[in-house]
Amino acid sequence: MLRNTVKSTATSAAARHFSSTSRKGMKVLCVLYPDPVDGFPPHYLRESVPDISKYPDGQTAPNPKAIDFTPGHLLGSVSGELGLRKFLEANGHELVVTSDKEGPNSVFEQELPTADVVISQPFWPAYLDADRISRAKNLKLALTAGIGSDHVDLDAANKAGITVAEVTYSNSNSVAEHTVMMILGLVRNYIPSHKWATEKRGWNIADCVAQSYDVEGMDVGVIAAGRIGLRVLRLMKPFDVNLHYYDSRRLPAEVEKELNLTYHDSPQDLARSVDVLSLHCPLHPKTHNMVNAELLSQMRKGAYIINTARGALCVRDDIAKSLEDGHLGGYAGDVWYPQPPPADHPWRTMPRNGMTPHISGTSLSAQARYAAGTREILENFFNNDPIRDVYLIAQGGQLAGVGAKSYTVEKGKASPGSHKA
Ligand code: NAD
């Protein structure tokens, strides 16, 4: 039977209190995606995953004091519990893990008012809007097991003095690999060709190749060249494409030279200049709906868009219309708004789409890193030690750490993407 909620059996009854040295008796409310429909644990194809100890810029991978899980196992769904239960209960904390996150009677809503820590994942976001934050009177830490904290209303979190943190870099390279796969899949017409061979049992070469091209020689650009965007540029270089980017912060000159990059000073200028446009900025007020009918109309006919960043960077119906009108060549991605999307979401059925559920950052390899990073952040939080600056999005009532570099907040306004549409 599928489990959607797991609670501590030996709930700590210790009073919730602060001490100058450590935090005790905390309630941790963790929202994870549901277990596989085929049951848990699943069958694993491989016996291990490579151990990555350092990221390309030298940042060390998460280094908690210990882990209580096997890297390569499914940790991101309810029964996987991010490998946290033993650690939390041994230290007198309470853990509630659930996938039931919507509606007033959901486990999430019921447990939220007494939670000290909420852990959520972008793949199955527990939206923390101002209303929910106002009812979460004990909440001190909103922790994203992954990257991207747009599901939290950052203005409301700042007003309530809630720390927001995420496991920066844990799945950036995972997403970049997925993006390259999607670029090649769209341009080379992989998915429809696969369907001809398997579902339709055909040998329809002409049907397959009538919309298939090489990426070699194309103009490929990214909006935002942060950890993921820069990795995509680096991975695409060996395909002998012309590389372009736009970012509000320009890359060092030596990186531009190394990759022979063309910098554009606006998303519009970039969009006009490329055959493939890949989105890699966080969702915040300045990026919300940045890909709209006006920008799409300026793109080359037959251009492709890849979006592994956030669904609400794009105007949903403008994307579908541009594909239906035959202007966009294709659209692929794994991010939607809201998540999960309703059954009638147009991106499920629009022409030439290569959509998947939100999976690029939650490969088994990535899960080992973000589970370890979640534990590292919790260890620091419980011990009242500083959380790594690079993991912080907001702290002490304002954007902090990596959040101060990549996000914006409009005071008095909800963060786009922080409540279920
Ligand atoms: P990052 O912080 O390293 O990079 C973000 C970049 O965006 C920075 O270079 C920043 O300057 C740029 N940026 C911010 N606002 C901008 C604006 N208005 N215009 C242009 N550039 C802007 O983060 P990252 O690790 O590269 O992740 C980027 C985003 O990807 C995350 O915030 C998240 O939304 C998404 N993501 C998705 C998945 C997934 O599974 N699909 C996983 C991880 C991250």
Side-chain angles (χ1 to χ4, degrees), residues 350-382:
M350 62 193 181
R352 300 183 305 289
N353 87 75
M355 296 302 297
T356 66
H358 192 163
I359 55 166
S360 64
T362 188
S363 58
L364 293 175
S365 323
Q367 288 177 39
R369 291 188 295 275
Y370 70 64
T374 301
R375 171 137 174 197
E376 179 190 327
I377 291 170
L378 287 174
E379 286 175 358
N380 289 333
F381 173 73
F382 294 142

Side-chain angles (χ1 to χ4, degrees), residues 30-98:
C30 182
V31 180
L32 300 178
Y33 45 79
D35 284 348
V37 290
D38 296 338
F40 190 97
H43 167 69
Y44 296 106
L45 288 177
R46 302 179 56 80
E47 287 175 353
S48 64
V49 289
D51 182 24
I52 311 289
S53 56
K54 254 192 189 166
Y55 301 122
D57 70 351
Q59 183 188 319
T60 50
N63 52 7
K65 293 198 172 67
I67 55 167
D68 299 311
F69 60 81
T70 305
H73 282 193
L74 184 59
L75 305 166
S77 75
V78 170
S79 294
E81 300 185 322
L82 297 176
L84 291 173
R85 184 168 298 279
K86 190 173 161 202
F87 156 68
L88 290 174
E89 291 183 352
N91 287 284
H93 304 295
E94 180 188 354
L95 176 65
V96 178
V97 184
T98 187

Side-chain angles (χ1 to χ4, degrees), residues 123 147-148 150 166 169 171-172 175 223-229 246-249 280-284 286-287 290 308-310 334-335 358-362 402 405-407:
F123 323 105
I147 303 174
D150 48 278
E166 61 186 45
Y169 233 142
N171 56 16
S172 300
V175 177
I223 293 188
R227 290 167 183 80
I228 300 174
Y246 158 72
D247 194 300
S248 42
R249 290 180 305 145
H280 298 293
C281 48
L283 175 64
H284 59 84
K286 293 209 160 39
T287 59
M290 73 193 301
T308 52
R310 283 296 178 263
D334 67 330
V335 284
H358 192 163
I359 55 166
S360 64
T362 188
V402 83
K405 293 188 178 139
S406 286
Y407 282 82

Side-chain angles (χ1 to χ4, degrees), residues 245-248 250 262-270 272:
Y245 82 104
Y246 158 72
D247 194 300
S248 42
R250 202 160 168 177
T262 304
Y263 174 72
H264 299 263
D265 61 7
S266 70
Q268 291 77 11
D269 193 56
L270 173 69
R272 276 194 291 271

